Amino acid sequence: MAFVITQPCIGEKSGDCVDVCPVDCIEEGKEMFYIDPDICIDCGACVTVCPVDAIIEEYDMTPEDEPFLEKAKEFYGLV
């Protein structure tokens, strides 16, 4: 997974990231959006348009961000 959507997205759900994704790898969940790790091409288009800076690279994750990676994997049935 190249990018992970984190806590600032909860409740925000503006959807700008969905609109710019060239491979349609971002889907809306109940509380936030999720990036499909199998489809993401690591382009970063979503990062630049996120109004709440919720999207980070997997390698920049802190321990507090780890649950959001797990949530994305669960959302896409990868666990």
Side-chain angles (χ1 to χ4, degrees):
M1 175 181 284
F3 292 97
V4 179
I5 299 177
T6 61
Q7 191 278 331
C9 184
I10 295 174
E12 173 63 33
K13 294 173 45 168
S14 69
D16 295 354
C17 55
V18 175
D19 296 336
V20 300
C21 181
V23 293
D24 296 324
C25 72
I26 303 173
E27 292 185 42
E28 185 175 357
K30 183 178 177 183
E31 296 182 315
M32 59 186 286
F33 288 94
Y34 298 97
I35 296 174
D36 188 329
D38 289 338
I39 299 175
C40 180
I41 60 170
D42 193 20
C43 70
C46 58
V47 176
T48 61
V49 298
C50 181
V52 293
D53 296 323
I55 305 171
I56 61 172
E57 287 192 68
E58 179 180 0
Y59 305 108
D60 291 334
M61 289 181 7
T62 65
E64 293 81 25
D65 298 322
E66 290 289 330
F68 294 98
L69 175 58
E70 294 307 312
K71 281 184 170 188
K73 288 179 180 178
E74 288 174 16
F75 183 81
Y76 289 104
L78 301 174
V79 289

